[in-house]
Amino acid sequence: MLTVHHLETSRSQRVLWLLEELGVPYDLRLYRRDPRTKLAPASLKAVHPLGKSPVITDGDDVIAESGAIIEYLAERFACGAPADLAHLVPQPGTPEHRQCRFWMHYAEGSLMNWLVMKLVFLTIPTQPMPFFVRPIARTLCDQVQKKLIDPNLSTALDFMEGHLAQHAWFAGEHLSMADFQMSFAVEAALARTDAASHHPHLLAYRERMQQRPAYQRALAKGGPVVMGG
């Protein structure tokens, strides 16, 4: 049986969602973040040297990195997937396949960098520090967000909004690997910005995603998706 090493409020939630959609049995091992640092526990290094999540183990195989895990699961189980996942891996050479490949890379290659920076610069002023340093830290963090992070996030959100205005899912009209890879980034973007009121198609996309029974089962097992600031 597959084992998912799942860190709470992390990107590994999308792996649980995919497995629930595929109907593949798996063992779930839940790891809690350090309540002070919010970092993953050291015990994850016993599973993979990087000590990060998600990681899955399948017999003697240990697979890390969300995109690699999603591709592995799709290659192994897509042939027996429910009809609703017939386009999980779009046919090579099609526009859907090109879109799927793009969004699989965009999620971690571009978008998550800005979302992680947003969380970091929101969090820094809340950390313990001498009282006279806090105003300086807050001002510095506010300026970095205003001049660097927020403009790049705004561009990304507008880009996704324009795409989803024309397509139900990221690769086209059907659920694909790209949606599982993008799911955490969409949740984080809507949680860490005021995008919802200005991006109705992105909001509707999240609603379609969250209404899926498999997504709700994954949420019940894995807990909240996004870590607060």
Side-chain angles (χ1 to χ4, degrees), residues 161-176:
E161 175 72 11
H163 182 75
L164 292 171
Q166 302 176 56
H167 305 285
W169 301 98
F170 275 104
E173 301 314 305
H174 304 282
L175 195 66
S176 76

Side-chain angles (χ1 to χ4, degrees), residues 9-182:
T9 58
S10 79
R11 306 175 206 192
S12 67
Q13 187 69 29
R14 51 193 168 192
V15 175
L16 301 186
W17 177 30
L18 176 55
L19 285 167
E20 291 294 330
E21 291 279 5
L22 289 168
V24 174
Y26 62 94
D27 179 38
L28 178 64
R29 296 189 186 176
L30 180 61
Y31 297 77
R32 301 293 183 186
R33 293 181 182 273
D34 183 289
R36 183 178 61 84
T37 66
K38 305 298 183 183
L39 297 177
S43 54
L44 267 172
K45 285 193 174 181
V47 183
H48 189 278
L50 291 177
K52 302 294 184 180
S53 176
V55 176
I56 65 169
T57 51
D58 188 12
D60 293 330
D61 294 321
V62 181
I63 303 102
E65 290 293 335
S66 299
I69 293 170
I70 288 170
E71 289 180 345
Y72 174 86
L73 294 175
E75 289 171 0
R76 181 156 183 210
F77 299 110
C79 60
D84 199 19
L85 267 66
H87 300 269
L88 182 64
V89 183
Q91 186 69 27
T94 62
E96 291 77 15
H97 186 266
R98 289 190 291 274
Q99 286 289 349
C100 183
R101 177 175 288 172
F102 170 80
W103 293 104
M104 285 289 293
H105 287 277
Y106 178 76
E108 296 294 328
S110 294
L111 181 54
M112 279 307 303
N113 295 328
W114 298 115
L115 290 169
V116 170
M117 288 181 68
K118 181 72 173 178
L119 180 62
V120 168
F121 280 88
L122 283 172
T123 303
I124 287 173
T126 70
Q127 301 305 301
M129 63 184 72
F131 75 91
F132 57 87
V133 175
R134 191 176 303 279
I136 300 172
R138 183 178 293 111
T139 298
L140 176 62
C141 289
D142 286 347
Q143 288 300 308
V144 171
Q145 291 183 71
K146 181 180 178 180
K147 295 183 177 180
L148 177 65
I149 300 173
D150 290 346
N152 280 282
L153 274 179
S154 179
T155 297
L157 289 162
D158 289 345
F159 177 55
M160 290 188 288
E161 175 72 11
H163 182 75
L164 292 171
Q166 302 176 56
H167 305 285
W169 301 98
F170 275 104
E173 301 314 305
H174 304 282
L175 195 66
S176 76
M177 290 190 298
D179 296 293
F180 297 95
Q181 181 73 336
M182 284 293 295

Side-chain angles (χ1 to χ4, degrees), residues 211-224:
Q211 288 302 312
R212 294 184 67 84
Y215 187 96
Q216 295 173 20
R217 291 195 300 272
L219 191 65
K221 293 180 180 181

